[in-house]
Amino acid sequence: MYLLIKGGTVVTATGAHPADVLVEGEKIAGLFSPDSTPPVEGAQVVDASGKYVIPGAVDVHTHMELPFGGTAASDTFETGTRAAAFGGTTTIVDFAVQRTGERVPDGLAAWHAKADGNCHVDYGFHMIIGGVDDESLKAMDSLVESEGVTSFKLFMAYPGVFYSDDGQILRAMQKARDNGSMIMMHAENGIAIDVLIGQALSRGETDPINHGLTRPAELEAEATRRAISLAQVAGDTPLYIVHLSASQALEAVAAARDTGRNVFAETCPQYLYLTLEDQLGAPGFEGAKWVCSTPLRSKHESHQRDLWRGLRTNDLAVVSTDHCPFCFKEQKELGLGDFSKIPNGIGGVEHRVDLLYQGVVDGKLSLERWVETIATTPARMFGLYPRKGVLAPGSDADIVVYDPNGRTRISVDTHHMNMDHSAYEGYEIAGKVDTVISRGTVLVANSEFHGHKGHGRYLPRGLSTYLQ
């Protein structure tokens, strides 16, 4: 079966040009200049006139069904991947979890059970290592060799839950250096943060804004620098800093990259648009909607300006969402009277493509860099390229037709995530996802969903193509 996308402007990480895209089955068969497209009898035609044609977006940081703080993220793999498709994301990489005392293979099996047969788009897994010991280190090798899991997340935060000390981190980094995998780091000084949290609560400072005030940028920067140093001691282990939010942390990443180190970082839309004062500091308990870690930063400092600049200079390589949604009622409300008990997470898997396109409209990113940060670099960073992240013959036919003349108003009334609020309520985007195609199948067209759960397949991943 053939599908032909005609009349659009193909945008890749390297440029934009008029081209028609021919899809045969699940793969891209060819790209043709508009005057040389061969006739294909019986092809389904998608009219992309006046629109951009881009690779399906790849979100390499999501947390579907993640247990946290006595509850679990409100999006299942079914609801979350459906919402992702509506937003132009055709691949996610979620985090399987091993907690202290659990076996790594058991944690991975549990996440396979959650996702298998339920996803609307393709998916892969990173592995959270919550207990670094001899057994889990051996498991890292087997996951790389036989499971297609080639990245491992460690936490310098959350003592007693996911926290690893410096010695454990060093051992895991040494193992990653040996097997070629990537270490992903939640870089916050959790020991010091817990002291600040205890002190704030003892003073009766319980409102959501204190979540941000007790996780200062300096403690994100300190942990980032420490992680970079440990990776160097381990032999320049590939290191990827997740959800970077602070200028000082970005400075540490940039300095390491300037010396040729294997250090990479992502940021998320919430850090580009939302602030400590306007969202986390909303009246009463309303700010709980925006409790996430790392936290939103102050609008009176240069964080947002510096993050946008970091995206332009490639010191920030990727924009992911850290999608970890919790409903306000009954979930975020677990922290009424104690901000430290508010489940950490913001829902945004549906909005990343639009929010980053607004950066193009605002002159903060080029069209090519938009595609690079939401699709091409994530695919290359985590071993999915060239199957994903690019429009090229032989690649999966994951394609988004994007209408620059459309408009998107973000609201809880119209989003498809399983949440009772929107972190971006009322935001107006000067662009709109028009058509979404996954492996040659149209999932979204004319704002209607045509997919089905179980279409999404598990993606065993290779090693990063960025490593030196």
Short mmCIF file of all heavy atoms in Angstrom, two decimals, residues 19-64:
data_model
loop_
_atom_site.label_atom_id
_atom_site.label_comp_id
_atom_site.label_asym_id
_atom_site.label_seq_id
_atom_site.Cartn_x
_atom_site.Cartn_y
_atom_site.Cartn_z
N ALA A 19 9.13 19.16 -1.31
CA ALA A 19 9.32 17.76 -1.69
C ALA A 19 8.05 16.98 -1.40
O ALA A 19 7.29 17.30 -0.49
CB ALA A 19 10.49 17.14 -0.95
N ASP A 20 7.82 15.95 -2.20
CA ASP A 20 6.76 14.99 -1.94
C ASP A 20 7.39 13.76 -1.30
O ASP A 20 8.52 13.38 -1.64
CB ASP A 20 6.06 14.59 -3.24
CG ASP A 20 5.35 15.76 -3.92
OD1 ASP A 20 5.07 16.76 -3.22
OD2 ASP A 20 5.09 15.67 -5.13
N VAL A 21 6.67 13.14 -0.39
CA VAL A 21 7.18 11.97 0.34
C VAL A 21 6.31 10.77 -0.02
O VAL A 21 5.10 10.80 0.19
CB VAL A 21 7.18 12.20 1.86
CG1 VAL A 21 7.75 10.98 2.58
CG2 VAL A 21 7.95 13.46 2.22
N LEU A 22 6.95 9.73 -0.52
CA LEU A 22 6.24 8.51 -0.88
C LEU A 22 6.50 7.44 0.18
O LEU A 22 7.65 7.17 0.53
CB LEU A 22 6.70 7.99 -2.25
CG LEU A 22 6.03 6.70 -2.74
CD1 LEU A 22 4.53 6.92 -2.95
CD2 LEU A 22 6.70 6.21 -4.03
N VAL A 23 5.42 6.86 0.68
CA VAL A 23 5.49 5.82 1.69
C VAL A 23 4.99 4.52 1.09
O VAL A 23 3.94 4.48 0.43
CB VAL A 23 4.61 6.20 2.92
CG1 VAL A 23 4.54 5.05 3.92
CG2 VAL A 23 5.15 7.47 3.58
N GLU A 24 5.76 3.46 1.30
CA GLU A 24 5.33 2.12 0.89
C GLU A 24 5.27 1.24 2.13
O GLU A 24 6.30 1.01 2.78
CB GLU A 24 6.28 1.51 -0.13
CG GLU A 24 5.83 0.13 -0.60
CD GLU A 24 6.76 -0.47 -1.64
OE1 GLU A 24 7.81 0.14 -1.93
OE2 GLU A 24 6.43 -1.56 -2.15
N GLY A 25 4.08 0.80 2.48
CA GLY A 25 3.93 0.01 3.69
C GLY A 25 4.28 0.83 4.91
O GLY A 25 3.72 1.91 5.13
N GLU A 26 5.24 0.36 5.71
CA GLU A 26 5.63 1.05 6.94
C GLU A 26 6.86 1.93 6.77
O GLU A 26 7.29 2.57 7.72
CB GLU A 26 5.89 0.03 8.04
CG GLU A 26 4.66 -0.76 8.44
CD GLU A 26 4.88 -1.56 9.71
OE1 GLU A 26 6.05 -1.71 10.15
OE2 GLU A 26 3.87 -2.02 10.29
N LYS A 27 7.43 1.98 5.55
CA LYS A 27 8.70 2.66 5.34
C LYS A 27 8.57 3.81 4.35
O LYS A 27 7.67 3.83 3.50
CB LYS A 27 9.76 1.68 4.82
CG LYS A 27 10.04 0.50 5.75
CD LYS A 27 10.76 0.95 7.02
CE LYS A 27 11.14 -0.26 7.89
NZ LYS A 27 11.87 0.17 9.11
N ILE A 28 9.48 4.75 4.45
CA ILE A 28 9.58 5.81 3.46
C ILE A 28 10.28 5.23 2.23
O ILE A 28 11.38 4.67 2.33
CB ILE A 28 10.36 7.01 4.02
CG1 ILE A 28 9.56 7.66 5.16
CG2 ILE A 28 10.64 8.04 2.92
CD1 ILE A 28 10.30 8.77 5.88
N ALA A 29 9.62 5.34 1.08
CA ALA A 29 10.18 4.79 -0.16
C ALA A 29 11.04 5.80 -0.90
O ALA A 29 12.00 5.43 -1.57
CB ALA A 29 9.04 4.32 -1.07
N GLY A 30 10.70 7.09 -0.76
CA GLY A 30 11.48 8.10 -1.46
C GLY A 30 10.96 9.50 -1.23
O GLY A 30 9.81 9.70 -0.82
N LEU A 31 11.84 10.48 -1.47
CA LEU A 31 11.48 11.89 -1.48
C LEU A 31 11.74 12.42 -2.88
O LEU A 31 12.80 12.12 -3.48
CB LEU A 31 12.29 12.69 -0.46
CG LEU A 31 11.84 12.63 1.01
CD1 LEU A 31 12.17 11.29 1.64
CD2 LEU A 31 12.50 13.75 1.82
N PHE A 32 10.81 13.21 -3.40
CA PHE A 32 10.91 13.65 -4.79
C PHE A 32 10.64 15.15 -4.86
O PHE A 32 9.78 15.67 -4.16
CB PHE A 32 9.88 12.91 -5.65
CG PHE A 32 10.01 11.41 -5.61
CD1 PHE A 32 9.28 10.67 -4.69
CD2 PHE A 32 10.85 10.76 -6.49
CE1 PHE A 32 9.40 9.30 -4.64
CE2 PHE A 32 10.97 9.38 -6.46
CZ PHE A 32 10.26 8.64 -5.52
N SER A 33 11.37 15.80 -5.76
CA SER A 33 11.02 17.19 -6.04
C SER A 33 9.64 17.19 -6.67
O SER A 33 9.26 16.24 -7.38
CB SER A 33 12.05 17.83 -6.97
OG SER A 33 12.11 17.14 -8.19
N PRO A 34 8.84 18.24 -6.42
CA PRO A 34 7.43 18.21 -6.83
C PRO A 34 7.21 17.92 -8.30
O PRO A 34 6.18 17.35 -8.68
CB PRO A 34 6.94 19.61 -6.45
CG PRO A 34 7.83 20.02 -5.32
CD PRO A 34 9.18 19.44 -5.65
N ASP A 35 8.16 18.29 -9.15
CA ASP A 35 7.96 18.08 -10.59
C ASP A 35 8.47 16.73 -11.07
O ASP A 35 8.42 16.43 -12.27
CB ASP A 35 8.62 19.20 -11.39
CG ASP A 35 10.11 19.33 -11.11
OD1 ASP A 35 10.61 18.59 -10.23
OD2 ASP A 35 10.76 20.17 -11.74
N SER A 36 8.96 15.90 -10.15
CA SER A 36 9.50 14.61 -10.58
C SER A 36 8.88 13.43 -9.83
O SER A 36 9.38 12.32 -9.92
CB SER A 36 11.02 14.58 -10.39
OG SER A 36 11.36 14.68 -9.00
N THR A 37 7.81 13.69 -9.09
CA THR A 37 7.16 12.61 -8.36
C THR A 37 6.52 11.63 -9.33
O THR A 37 5.70 12.03 -10.17
CB THR A 37 6.08 13.17 -7.41
OG1 THR A 37 6.70 14.10 -6.52
CG2 THR A 37 5.43 12.06 -6.60
N PRO A 38 6.87 10.36 -9.22
CA PRO A 38 6.29 9.40 -10.17
C PRO A 38 4.83 9.14 -9.85
O PRO A 38 4.40 9.22 -8.70
CB PRO A 38 7.13 8.14 -9.92
CG PRO A 38 7.60 8.26 -8.50
CD PRO A 38 7.80 9.73 -8.28
N PRO A 39 4.05 8.82 -10.86
CA PRO A 39 2.64 8.47 -10.60
C PRO A 39 2.57 7.13 -9.87
O PRO A 39 3.29 6.19 -10.20
CB PRO A 39 2.03 8.37 -12.00
CG PRO A 39 3.19 8.10 -12.91
CD PRO A 39 4.38 8.79 -12.30
N VAL A 40 1.74 7.08 -8.83
CA VAL A 40 1.59 5.85 -8.05
C VAL A 40 0.11 5.51 -8.02
O VAL A 40 -0.69 6.17 -7.34
CB VAL A 40 2.14 6.02 -6.61
CG1 VAL A 40 2.01 4.69 -5.85
CG2 VAL A 40 3.58 6.48 -6.64
N GLU A 41 -0.26 4.50 -8.76
CA GLU A 41 -1.67 4.14 -8.88
C GLU A 41 -2.23 3.64 -7.55
O GLU A 41 -1.62 2.82 -6.88
CB GLU A 41 -1.85 3.05 -9.94
CG GLU A 41 -3.30 2.74 -10.26
CD GLU A 41 -3.44 1.75 -11.39
OE1 GLU A 41 -2.44 1.51 -12.10
OE2 GLU A 41 -4.55 1.22 -11.58
N GLY A 42 -3.37 4.20 -7.15
CA GLY A 42 -4.05 3.75 -5.94
C GLY A 42 -3.48 4.28 -4.65
O GLY A 42 -3.93 3.87 -3.57
N ALA A 43 -2.52 5.20 -4.72
CA ALA A 43 -1.92 5.72 -3.49
C ALA A 43 -2.90 6.61 -2.74
O ALA A 43 -3.66 7.38 -3.34
CB ALA A 43 -0.66 6.52 -3.82
N GLN A 44 -2.90 6.49 -1.43
CA GLN A 44 -3.63 7.44 -0.59
C GLN A 44 -2.85 8.74 -0.59
O GLN A 44 -1.64 8.75 -0.34
CB GLN A 44 -3.76 6.89 0.83
CG GLN A 44 -4.46 7.84 1.81
CD GLN A 44 -4.47 7.29 3.23
OE1 GLN A 44 -4.04 6.17 3.48
NE2 GLN A 44 -4.97 8.09 4.16
N VAL A 45 -3.50 9.86 -0.87
CA VAL A 45 -2.82 11.14 -0.99
C VAL A 45 -3.16 12.03 0.20
O VAL A 45 -4.33 12.19 0.56
CB VAL A 45 -3.19 11.85 -2.30
CG1 VAL A 45 -2.55 13.23 -2.37
CG2 VAL A 45 -2.76 11.00 -3.50
N VAL A 46 -2.12 12.60 0.80
CA VAL A 46 -2.28 13.60 1.86
C VAL A 46 -1.81 14.93 1.28
O VAL A 46 -0.65 15.06 0.86
CB VAL A 46 -1.45 13.24 3.10
CG1 VAL A 46 -1.53 14.36 4.14
CG2 VAL A 46 -1.92 11.92 3.71
N ASP A 47 -2.69 15.90 1.26
CA ASP A 47 -2.36 17.22 0.71
C ASP A 47 -1.66 18.04 1.80
O ASP A 47 -2.27 18.40 2.81
CB ASP A 47 -3.63 17.91 0.24
CG ASP A 47 -3.35 19.26 -0.40
OD1 ASP A 47 -2.16 19.61 -0.57
OD2 ASP A 47 -4.33 19.98 -0.74
N ALA A 48 -0.39 18.35 1.56
CA ALA A 48 0.39 19.13 2.53
C ALA A 48 0.70 20.52 2.01
O ALA A 48 1.64 21.17 2.49
CB ALA A 48 1.68 18.38 2.87
N SER A 49 -0.08 21.02 1.07
CA SER A 49 0.17 22.34 0.49
C SER A 49 0.18 23.41 1.58
O SER A 49 -0.73 23.48 2.41
CB SER A 49 -0.91 22.66 -0.54
OG SER A 49 -0.93 21.70 -1.57
N GLY A 50 1.22 24.23 1.57
CA GLY A 50 1.34 25.31 2.53
C GLY A 50 1.74 24.85 3.93
O GLY A 50 1.72 25.65 4.87
N LYS A 51 2.15 23.60 4.05
CA LYS A 51 2.46 23.04 5.36
C LYS A 51 3.86 22.44 5.39
O LYS A 51 4.46 22.17 4.35
CB LYS A 51 1.42 21.98 5.74
CG LYS A 51 0.00 22.55 5.83
CD LYS A 51 -1.06 21.48 5.86
CE LYS A 51 -2.46 22.12 5.80
NZ LYS A 51 -3.53 21.11 5.64
N TYR A 52 4.35 22.24 6.61
CA TYR A 52 5.64 21.60 6.80
C TYR A 52 5.45 20.09 6.95
O TYR A 52 4.46 19.63 7.55
CB TYR A 52 6.33 22.14 8.05
CG TYR A 52 6.63 23.62 8.01
CD1 TYR A 52 6.25 24.46 9.05
CD2 TYR A 52 7.31 24.18 6.93
CE1 TYR A 52 6.52 25.82 9.02
CE2 TYR A 52 7.58 25.55 6.89
CZ TYR A 52 7.19 26.35 7.94
OH TYR A 52 7.46 27.69 7.90
N VAL A 53 6.39 19.35 6.42
CA VAL A 53 6.42 17.89 6.58
C VAL A 53 7.69 17.55 7.35
O VAL A 53 8.80 17.81 6.86
CB VAL A 53 6.37 17.17 5.22
CG1 VAL A 53 6.38 15.66 5.42
CG2 VAL A 53 5.15 17.61 4.42
N ILE A 54 7.54 17.01 8.56
CA ILE A 54 8.68 16.79 9.44
C ILE A 54 8.68 15.34 9.93
O ILE A 54 7.66 14.65 9.88
CB ILE A 54 8.66 17.76 10.64
CG1 ILE A 54 7.48 17.47 11.58
CG2 ILE A 54 8.64 19.21 10.18
CD1 ILE A 54 7.52 18.26 12.89
N PRO A 55 9.83 14.86 10.44
CA PRO A 55 9.83 13.53 11.05
C PRO A 55 8.94 13.49 12.28
O PRO A 55 8.81 14.50 13.00
CB PRO A 55 11.30 13.32 11.45
CG PRO A 55 12.08 14.38 10.75
CD PRO A 55 11.14 15.52 10.51
N GLY A 56 8.32 12.35 12.53
CA GLY A 56 7.58 12.19 13.77
C GLY A 56 8.47 12.48 14.95
O GLY A 56 9.64 12.08 14.99
N ALA A 57 7.94 13.20 15.93
CA ALA A 57 8.76 13.62 17.06
C ALA A 57 9.05 12.45 18.00
O ALA A 57 8.27 11.50 18.10
CB ALA A 57 8.06 14.75 17.82
N VAL A 58 10.19 12.53 18.66
CA VAL A 58 10.67 11.48 19.56
C VAL A 58 10.85 12.09 20.94
O VAL A 58 11.68 12.98 21.14
CB VAL A 58 12.01 10.90 19.05
CG1 VAL A 58 12.51 9.80 19.98
CG2 VAL A 58 11.87 10.38 17.62
N ASP A 59 10.06 11.63 21.91
CA ASP A 59 10.14 12.12 23.29
C ASP A 59 10.86 11.06 24.12
O ASP A 59 10.32 9.99 24.40
CB ASP A 59 8.74 12.37 23.85
CG ASP A 59 8.76 13.13 25.17
OD1 ASP A 59 9.84 13.19 25.82
OD2 ASP A 59 7.71 13.66 25.58
N VAL A 60 12.09 11.37 24.52
CA VAL A 60 12.92 10.36 25.19
C VAL A 60 12.88 10.48 26.71
O VAL A 60 13.75 9.95 27.40
CB VAL A 60 14.39 10.43 24.70
CG1 VAL A 60 14.48 10.00 23.25
CG2 VAL A 60 14.99 11.82 24.89
N HIS A 61 11.83 11.12 27.24
CA HIS A 61 11.72 11.23 28.70
C HIS A 61 10.25 11.30 29.09
O HIS A 61 9.66 12.38 29.19
CB HIS A 61 12.46 12.46 29.20
CG HIS A 61 12.62 12.51 30.69
ND1 HIS A 61 13.63 13.24 31.31
CD2 HIS A 61 11.94 11.91 31.71
CE1 HIS A 61 13.53 13.10 32.63
NE2 HIS A 61 12.50 12.30 32.88
N THR A 62 9.65 10.13 29.30
CA THR A 62 8.28 10.07 29.80
C THR A 62 8.19 9.09 30.96
O THR A 62 9.03 8.21 31.12
CB THR A 62 7.28 9.64 28.70
OG1 THR A 62 7.53 8.27 28.33
CG2 THR A 62 7.39 10.53 27.47
N HIS A 63 7.13 9.24 31.75
CA HIS A 63 6.89 8.38 32.91
C HIS A 63 5.42 7.98 32.94
O HIS A 63 4.64 8.52 33.70
CB HIS A 63 7.24 9.09 34.21
CG HIS A 63 8.69 9.42 34.38
ND1 HIS A 63 9.63 8.47 34.66
CD2 HIS A 63 9.35 10.61 34.32
CE1 HIS A 63 10.83 9.05 34.77
NE2 HIS A 63 10.68 10.36 34.56
N MET A 64 5.04 7.06 32.09
CA MET A 64 3.67 6.56 32.12
C MET A 64 3.50 5.59 33.30
O MET A 64 4.35 4.73 33.53
CB MET A 64 3.32 5.84 30.82
CG MET A 64 3.58 6.64 29.55
SD MET A 64 2.67 8.20 29.48
CE MET A 64 3.32 8.86 27.93
#
